[in-house]
Amino acid sequence: MLTFVFVCLSISVTGLHAGFTVTVPNPSIKVKENERADLKCTYTADFGATPRVEWMFKDLKGSQSFIYFDNKPTAQYASRITVYSGGLRFNKVTRADTGNYDCEVSGNGGYGEKTVKLTVLVPPSKPVSRVPSSVTTGSNALLTCFDNDGSPPPTYKWYKDNSPLPDDPSKFPSFKNLTYKMNAYSGVLEFPSVSKLDIGSYFCESSNGEGAPQRGDAVRMDVLDVDSSQVPAERDTLSTETYVVPSKSTLNHIMEKMYGVFTLQEVKQKLEIQKLELEITKLKLELQKQRHEV
């Protein structure tokens, strides 16, 4: 009798965990922006019940959200998607829909999950680039290029005087004396130690295989020398001694040397703050002197 009860319980538990499989025939889909997209997800179950199906979205930044939950689309997707027995359909995709879609199937103690990667194809736009108009010899200079629209994310090229810069300048006779570093994925062109050879007009280009490559505006970068004899020496103690005031052109050179890619306005503000701090220090010393005399 006890043996019979044990066998029945074993059959019952096995039935509760009857297996099923989840399948995505195409785990990676590429669709042009504003077109329809079908994300196929099928399942087979041997326990005779209808499982629960949910869809979750993970964007390129890692943020997750349900788009189909409790047998209905969530509010932000209600007018854009249709879930049917074979998968999920977007009526029209946007670039923000690029990411991973998890098809989750569960029921009767079982669970299965598969992922479909959706890439919404968007041609690159004109990239935003930043090229300093002048830098000082020996300083570090960063030229940046960024396109926020292209999907998949674009890669970048830099041009100097309308000639493309090779990834490795040492392999080309006409560029072997240059010491820049170029990152095709971040769009950064770095000069660890600027020299007169780096003078020229620069622009960047973004491309991702969708539509024509796009170019940013060209900006000339000059390389200037700094008269180090006019740079004020650093002091460890407070003093009321008179500082030598550099010329305006020398100040610009000093500012670029000290602050690199900061804008001129930001540097001017920093210098004004430094002047005020110096005046305050002088006033404090004068007050201390007057107190001692009294």
Side-chain angles (χ1 to χ4, degrees):
M1 182 67 178
L2 290 174
T3 303
F4 175 76
V5 172
F6 176 76
V7 172
C8 290
L9 287 173
S10 299
I11 294 173
S12 177
V13 171
T14 304
L16 283 173
H17 292 83
F20 59 88
T21 60
V22 180
T23 306
V24 290
N26 192 352
S28 181
I29 298 175
K30 295 182 179 180
V31 181
K32 293 183 181 295
E33 189 173 31
N34 297 321
E35 292 188 354
R36 190 178 75 175
D38 272 316
L39 282 60
K40 303 288 187 181
C41 178
T42 60
Y43 57 86
T44 58
D46 59 10
F47 51 79
T50 301
R52 180 186 181 95
V53 179
E54 294 171 345
W55 284 89
M56 177 173 284
F57 171 55
K58 183 177 181 180
D59 64 20
L60 295 178
K61 296 180 179 179
S63 177
Q64 293 184 338
S65 60
F66 277 106
I67 62 176
Y68 187 79
F69 182 77
D70 198 19
N71 293 320
K72 61 183 178 181
T74 54
Q76 63 267 39
Y77 289 93
S79 63
R80 302 183 55 220
I81 67 168
T82 302
V83 175
Y84 57 99
S85 59
L88 170 114
R89 175 177 296 144
F90 276 93
N91 302 324
K92 186 185 294 186
V93 293
T94 69
R95 64 194 66 189
D97 295 322
T98 293
N100 291 329
Y101 293 79
D102 290 336
C103 174
E104 303 174 357
V105 184
S106 60
N108 205 23
Y111 178 83
E113 176 184 349
K114 292 291 182 180
T115 300
V116 181
K117 179 181 180 180
L118 173 65
T119 302
V120 180
L121 303 176
V122 183
S125 60
K126 180 180 178 180
V128 176
S129 58
R130 296 187 182 276
V131 180
S133 59
S134 64
V135 292
T136 54
T137 54
S139 64
N140 177 278
L142 290 179
L143 282 62
T144 61
C145 182
F146 184 69
D147 170 18
N148 194 39
D149 294 325
S151 177
T155 56
Y156 303 93
K157 286 183 179 180
W158 278 94
Y159 291 75
K160 178 187 177 186
D161 299 329
N162 292 317
S163 296
L165 292 175
D167 293 336
D168 186 354
S170 64
K171 295 180 179 180
F172 296 84
S174 57
F175 296 96
K176 65 180 181 179
N177 292 324
L178 302 181
T179 58
Y180 63 80
K181 298 177 182 178
M182 183 165 54
N183 190 317
Y185 300 98
S186 67
V188 173
L189 178 63
E190 179 182 6
F191 296 88
S193 182
V194 177
S195 72
K196 294 291 187 179
L197 294 174
D198 300 319
I199 295 174
S201 179
Y202 292 85
F203 68 85
C204 66
E205 179 182 85
S206 63
S207 61
N208 66 351
E210 296 298 316
Q214 298 294 314
R215 293 183 173 183
D217 295 326
V219 177
R220 178 176 175 81
M221 184 176 77
D222 288 319
V223 178
L224 307 173
D225 292 322
V226 177
D227 185 357
S228 58
S229 64
Q230 298 189 55
V231 179
E234 293 183 0
R235 300 178 184 274
D236 296 327
T237 57
L238 295 176
S239 172
T240 58
E241 294 177 18
T242 303
Y243 285 86
V244 177
V245 180
S247 66
K248 184 176 181 181
S249 60
T250 303
L251 270 176
N252 288 336
H253 299 165
I254 295 170
M255 288 188 289
E256 290 171 343
K257 178 71 174 177
M258 294 175 62
Y259 302 105
V261 296
F262 284 119
T263 63
L264 184 60
Q265 185 61 33
E266 291 172 329
V267 176
K268 287 181 177 179
Q269 291 174 355
K270 289 178 181 291
L271 287 176
E272 289 297 327
I273 292 173
Q274 290 177 0
K275 289 179 180 178
L276 289 173
E277 291 175 344
L278 182 59
E279 291 297 327
I280 292 171
T281 301
K282 289 181 178 179
L283 288 173
K284 287 181 178 179
L285 291 173
E286 288 295 331
L287 287 173
Q288 292 176 0
K289 184 178 180 180
Q290 292 176 7
R291 287 173 183 173
H292 285 302
E293 291 176 350
V294 172

